[in-house]
Amino acid sequence: MSPSRVVHFLLRRLVSSSLEPFFRRIEAAPGYAAHAAVLSPFDEAAADGNPHMLDAAYREAEAALPDALFPRLGDRRSGEETLTARDVLADTACRYDRGLHLRSRIASAYISRHIFTHINAARPFSEGTEREASRIEEIAGFDGPVLYLPSYHSHLDSLVIAVYLDAVGLGLPCSAIGDLLMPTPGVEDTLKRLMCIKITKELLWSDMREEYEEILAGYTGALLNRGASLVVHAEASRYTTRSMDGTLRATIPRWILRALASSTRDVLVVPLSVSYLRVPEDRSLVYRSPLMGVLTPRDRGLAVPLREYLRFGRDYTDRLFQILLESLAGVFGRAYVVPGEPIRVSEFLSDAEDHRAFDQKIARRVMEDIAVNKRIFPVHVAVRALLRDGPQRTPELAERVRRERDRIDEFRRRYYHRPPGLDGAPGRESPSSLEAGLDPLVQRKIVGKTPWPPRRYWVRDVRLGRFYANQADVRVYAAKARFNITMVNAGAFGYTLVTHLGRHLEEHPRFVDYGLILYDARKRLVEDISESRSHPDFFEGSILPRVVHVETDLAAAVRDANVVIIATPSHHFRTAVRDVLQEHDGPFILLIATKGFEADTALLPVEVAWEETERLGRRNVRFAVLSGANLASEIMEEQLTVTQIAAEDTDVLDTLAGLFETPLFLVDTGTDVTGVQLAAAMKNVYAIAYGIADGAKESSVNFTAALVTRISEEVGRLGRAMEAQDETFGSTGQAWMADFLATAQGGRNSQFGRSLTRTGVAGALAQFRRAKKNVEGYQAVRAALVLSDRYGVDLPIVRVLADILFDGGEVDPVRFLERKPIPDRPPPDGDTA
């Protein structure tokens, strides 16, 4: 069960069937009534018009519904297995209750003023700057619908933003939120009456995604056409855009961009940057534990005496609620909501060539504005410095904080051409104020400090420390950038390569405007990686780099990609190439990391790609291949590694070498595309032969060395027949000799060969099937026989292997050296490569 489902399960049992008891207990809190007096004036005209506006928008959306049936999710007690589009719209739409609105705005203001600290309690979450006042005035004066697009940090974002907008006089907008925040029918009904639109995440992951997004776009577009203000929270998108690394990710759902592009009115888009000193669900995000929610025992500053829990009576729950509420004063520290520069959609539509360009342009502008306006707290910078430089005394740490802030300032000015968004006067933190800022993290055991002066600080919880250090990272990790790379397949090797690329892109400023997407068709796998930022099946403990976005929509993943890397198994390669070519009609580099043969044709992956591009008449795809002794575990552990990239175009080689090469990942380049692919495919075949020789009792080092020599000569002859370069199969070739030796000495195929000497073919196959280990060389032997006939090259070692594997021949390594190869013969007439 995924963490989000566990949260939903617990909330359904821990949250009351309605919010009425919550309201009642909050309204009984000391000083509650006084908050009503400091609220901004209530907009009577908007309140009166809301029901009519919502009703008109619903009717407009209803008239344009798609003809579709949706799967019924969750409770099926009605007996119906499907829902109509009208049912889905009704489940999505919001309503308005004037009395509930009046009641909730006071309660929300009271809670937010209580659990956060503010510069000005009358305007919670406000910076109080002239720039902010100017933008609020522009928003309030706009005669049309306003769309707020916020960053996403916490489930409290919706509360924080609603309180802020109300406090600055912008009223109650409609809010699109995920259904996780509506755990019970009672809570759902209350939130919908406060103009909350329900986004069912499971439908966004279903096969009916397109139809569901059409309904969402139609409904929200109708709201905008009727002049509504609308907040679309990023958690209402398909992906969980909050992540355990705490970074800024693309946060704009696709369906709202559709609604914007099709709106009949000019819409004012306002980016909202939300920043927290302490992110409420930090532990839950980092450790993926639903039990570590908004509050944990380490937050007890709560110091509620045990006797209070033991004083039972009629008012027990209400009394304990009040005591706990009082103990939470200021528990989350300071938080900000900063409106960005308002954007008129009409200006973007007129500049964009098509809707795709519009989507990318406005999404990028919103994300950059959010990054520019993100508030950076000194404590986050301090944790970043502690992680980078190790334990520090207070004066040294204060100096490093100033340097870090200078770096942040320079980055913003260089890449966004904007001034920094820093909490407080840059470079003016005193050691004492820095110590006070670190105290909450010390109390929560994220940061450690010595109990005596001079104080010395260090990071105790590295994962949470990294989370807060990343709060000081103002780089936008957009899925689409000026240069885009897409990895197709999230298997072990694809995931390894994208992790390596992501680390490299993050480390160097020159890659700040590069996007990196990991695509896989397996929806559950993609959702798991998106939420946990790690692979559920491989490399436990590794964290996917912040720059990597995961995607299960191939069109979205490869569209506009400059480089597409395919790392699928060979039997899926042709389908993958066809799909990529169908979804991406522009020029791009296709880097093939797949090894092996296509079983039906005995073609190499690059030959399959050539065949498919020729069939489609495509001339705008440039090819490259990656191979070598690339062990996933070594790359993930950042051990010294060498790989081979081959391409006929030297510009392609330069581009790819620049992307991949690091001090610990060296790249050999060459132009022998066919030879590199042939070497990668044949090394699995010959590794089985090596395993048989190495596993035989009577074998010796002398014998295996002689076999390696004969193998290299044999594969070299096949390479020459296929017009590969001799150097590829020489003693220094990374694609052949290094990869073959690494595979022969410990790979699956050589292990399979050793098993053959002990259990025979049937026993070895059964053993590897039970262990779910794929032996690529087993089927590749058949392909090698086809190549032998196709090119007129005798391959004695391959023929002996085929006899052992398929015809019951004796498993005896001596057979590999029994005879010298017969002279090569010309291929049969009419048979071509």
Side-chain angles (χ1 to χ4, degrees), residues 73 93 95 111 116 135 160 259 270 307 323 417 576 679 744 783:
L73 306 173
R95 304 185 296 279
I111 294 170
F116 293 98
R135 288 176 178 173
V160 168
V270 181
R307 65 177 181 274
I323 293 172
H417 310 292

Side-chain angles (χ1 to χ4, degrees), residues 637-659:
E637 294 169 7
E638 298 187 84
Q639 298 180 28
L640 187 59
T641 303
V642 183
T643 197
Q644 175 87 41
I645 296 178
E648 295 178 355
D649 189 322
T650 56
D651 289 339
V652 171
L653 284 177
D654 291 342
T655 297
L656 296 177
L659 289 175

Side-chain angles (χ1 to χ4, degrees), residues 805-820:
L805 295 176
F806 310 127
D807 298 325
E810 182 183 4
V811 183
D812 182 358
V814 176
R815 298 181 61 197
F816 295 132
L817 301 183
E818 276 182 344
R819 49 174 298 218
K820 295 181 179 179

Side-chain angles (χ1 to χ4, degrees), residues 205 238-240 489-490 518-536 544 549-553:
W205 281 95
R238 190 180 188 200
Y239 298 100
T240 304
N489 192 46
L518 173 62
Y519 163 80
D520 199 284
R522 294 166 286 186
K523 296 178 182 179
R524 180 54 60 192
L525 173 63
V526 169
E527 187 176 21
D528 286 345
I529 295 174
S530 177
E531 289 187 354
S532 67
R533 303 301 294 170
S534 62
H535 201 294
L544 196 65
H549 288 253
V550 286
E551 178 61 77
T552 190
D553 181 338

